[in-house]
Amino acid sequence: MDVLAGLLEGPRARGAFMIRACFDPPWSVRIADEAPLSIMVMVRDTAWIVPDDGEPQLIRPGDVAVARGPGHYTVADDRTRKAHVEIRPGERCVPLGDTPADRYQDLGRRTWGQTSDGAAEMLIGTYQARGEITGRLLDALPPLLVLPVEVWDCPLTPLLSDEITKDEPGQDVVLDRLLDLLMIASLRAWFSRPEAEAPAWYRAMGDPVVGQAIRLLQDDPAHPWTIAALAAKAGVSRAALARRFTELVGEPPMAYLTGWRLALAADLLRDSEQTIAAIARRVGYGSAFALSSAFKRVYGVSPQEHRSRAA
């Protein structure tokens, strides 16, 4: 499996929250919904995204921003402006301070804010449950990333702008798939950037020895791998492979393999109806019991509990 494809195959929106937000200055909205991942496309005017922990980022027309939860942040016309309202879990909008309750309101089909023809316009899509995004992808992302229009001119903005306010049969499914496509395209553009802080294993793919070992493990996780077998395939000694792999990836090859197998199992539990025994065999465990023991040790819940929560 191509490593980038493996990383980006995770987004699976299910009834995602998508909205067109419109404002006239002054405006300021604090985001505390703790959603696992949100994407914002600036259509008109500019906005500041101010994380509680992190540097403020300015976004301009055409810029795309991706925010990883559960951290909170404020989006406003001015980086120093206090929030007027707060968006909480369940998409509840709560006025703050002396803000009138009707200052920010529903403006019609998937449109929210102060006025439908406001000076500032943003398109926002939010994955509402962690089960819709693989943990591998979330772990690979910074809390906030911005793709300026100069480095990536998002070709999906006109299509999303056109579709977001439609009320056609199956429109929710259309928007879910558009959100997935927008997210995948944005992250692919991000990972191609030199400033992208990719995880250690992703950077290690460029090493001729460790990269080959990672590909072997990812391509065939069900194989009964040993250090000796992996080293032989990579053309180095066991000691050399173990030392180099741990140095670049941050953990030994067999620990990486365990994490990869369990991540695959978590995705299969979420996205398929295969039995736990079948999933165990597919990812390299001899029995459902063996998978369950390892899964609960790492994830803190049984495979069945994980599947139920994702559903």
Side-chain angles (χ1 to χ4, degrees):
M1 176 186 293
D2 172 76
V3 65
L4 186 55
L7 189 66
L8 297 182
E9 67 177 357
R12 297 288 190 277
R14 299 181 181 90
F17 177 75
M18 294 198 70
I19 202 164
R20 172 177 171 261
C22 302
F23 311 102
D24 279 328
W27 62 272
S28 181
V29 180
R30 178 171 166 78
I31 309 300
D33 60 0
E34 301 187 359
L37 203 60
S38 295
I39 188 164
M40 294 160 274
V41 182
M42 201 71 203
V43 178
R44 292 197 307 270
D45 209 0
T46 62
W48 284 92
I49 303 176
V50 185
D52 284 7
D53 298 307
E55 292 297 316
Q57 298 261 20
L58 178 68
I59 56 174
R60 301 158 302 159
D63 291 356
V64 176
V66 177
R68 172 173 60 82
H72 301 172
Y73 53 95
T74 299
V75 186
D77 67 309
D78 188 297
R79 62 188 293 178
T80 62
R81 196 174 308 287
K82 292 184 178 180
H84 300 158
V85 295
E86 183 173 82
I87 307 300
R88 296 178 181 173
E91 307 307 331
R92 291 190 302 116
C93 178
V94 179
L96 301 177
D98 57 359
T99 302
D102 61 351
R103 182 168 181 179
Y104 298 81
Q105 58 186 312
D106 184 0
L107 298 172
R109 192 174 299 130
R110 299 189 191 89
T111 301
W112 178 86
Q114 297 169 329
T115 173
S116 59
D117 59 351
E121 179 183 345
M122 302 177 70
L123 306 178
I124 303 168
T126 298
Y127 291 86
Q128 300 185 83
R130 186 177 173 91
E132 298 173 2
I133 300 286
T134 61
R136 296 191 310 278
L137 176 55
L138 292 175
D139 293 342
L141 297 177
L144 175 66
L145 66 89
V146 173
L147 285 164
V149 68
E150 292 88 357
V151 303
W152 187 60
D153 188 3
C154 177
L156 297 169
T157 301
L159 180 59
L160 187 59
S161 296
D162 183 55
E163 292 286 343
I164 200 166
T165 56
K166 285 185 178 179
D167 189 20
E168 303 289 342
Q171 192 64 16
D172 287 345
V173 177
V174 170
L175 291 174
D176 280 352
R177 298 293 75 80
L178 276 176
L179 176 59
D180 290 341
L181 183 58
L182 175 61
M183 185 64 73
I184 290 169
S186 300
L187 296 180
R188 185 172 62 182
W190 166 253
F191 280 113
S192 71
R193 300 296 303 158
E195 69 270 22
E197 296 181 4
W201 63 263
Y202 186 90
R203 298 193 301 270
M205 293 296 294
D207 183 85
V209 172
V210 177
Q212 183 180 358
I214 290 175
R215 290 185 186 92
L216 288 166
L217 296 177
Q218 292 190 339
D219 286 346
D220 192 5
H223 185 79
W225 290 108
T226 63
I227 287 286
L230 199 58
K233 289 280 189 180
V236 295
S237 70
R238 289 179 294 176
L241 175 63
R243 180 175 61 253
R244 184 70 174 163
F245 197 104
T246 303
E247 176 185 316
L248 293 183
V249 179
E251 60 183 348
M254 294 301 101
Y256 176 85
L257 176 60
T258 296
W260 177 250
R261 284 171 167 171
L262 294 178
L264 290 176
D267 291 350
L268 288 168
L269 287 163
R270 182 196 68 190
D271 295 330
S272 79
E273 296 182 357
Q274 296 179 54
T275 66
I276 295 175
I279 291 173
R281 291 191 297 271
R282 185 168 171 179
V283 303
Y285 284 90
S287 67
F289 177 78
L291 172 61
S292 296
S293 297
F295 197 92
K296 190 165 187 177
R297 183 171 60 251
V298 172
Y299 285 84
V301 296
S302 70
Q304 188 58 53
E305 288 173 313
H306 174 83
R307 170 170 275 171
S308 298
R309 291 181 181 183

